[in-house]
Amino acid sequence: MFNSRFMFIFAQKRKMSTITIDNSLYQGAELLAKAHDMSLQNYIESFLRRALAKEKKKDSFTLLSENELPADIRQLVGAGLPSTISDEDTNGKKAKEEYLESNRE
């Protein structure tokens, strides 16, 4: 009746779920479950729990405070702040001359 497909059922907490998967996929999962000394139901549930946890972790994002950043990253904080070079001194020539003049002493 299920030539290339195989149906299996598993129940947990009074809820019954039925899924239909390809027969070769079922056989492969069955072999993996045996290799891990698990029932097919436990193996599939474990796999799905890990996949869902990984997906949830991938979707979550937490912004770290500056103190939580690694030291090498903290050194970069402020590096992208706007410069004090005026619009008239686009190439920074005037700012360079002022800097060199102030440090000649």
Side-chain angles (χ1 to χ4, degrees), residues 5-43:
R5 297 191 169 257
F6 188 89
M7 184 182 298
F8 65 95
I9 300 172
F10 59 94
Q12 182 180 7
K13 296 183 182 177
R14 293 179 279 158
K15 182 169 180 153
M16 176 93 40
S17 299
T18 304
I19 63 172
T20 304
I21 62 172
D22 182 77
N23 191 39
S24 62
L25 184 59
Y26 177 88
Q27 290 172 350
E30 198 171 40
L31 289 172
L32 285 172
K34 285 179 185 176
H36 288 90
D37 197 29
M38 299 172 77
S39 70
L40 183 57
Q41 176 182 334
N42 287 341
Y43 185 78

Side-chain angles (χ1 to χ4, degrees), residues 39-82:
S39 70
L40 183 57
Q41 176 182 334
N42 287 341
Y43 185 78
I44 291 172
E45 287 176 355
S46 173
F47 177 82
L48 290 173
R49 280 190 193 96
R50 285 193 313 271
L52 290 170
K54 185 177 178 181
E55 197 63 30
K56 183 177 180 181
K57 191 174 185 179
K58 186 171 91 174
D59 289 341
S60 66
F61 176 80
T62 304
L63 186 62
L64 299 175
S65 70
E66 187 175 330
N67 293 335
E68 294 173 307
L69 296 172
D72 54 336
I73 302 298
R74 270 197 309 263
Q75 292 175 353
L76 299 173
V77 172
L81 295 177

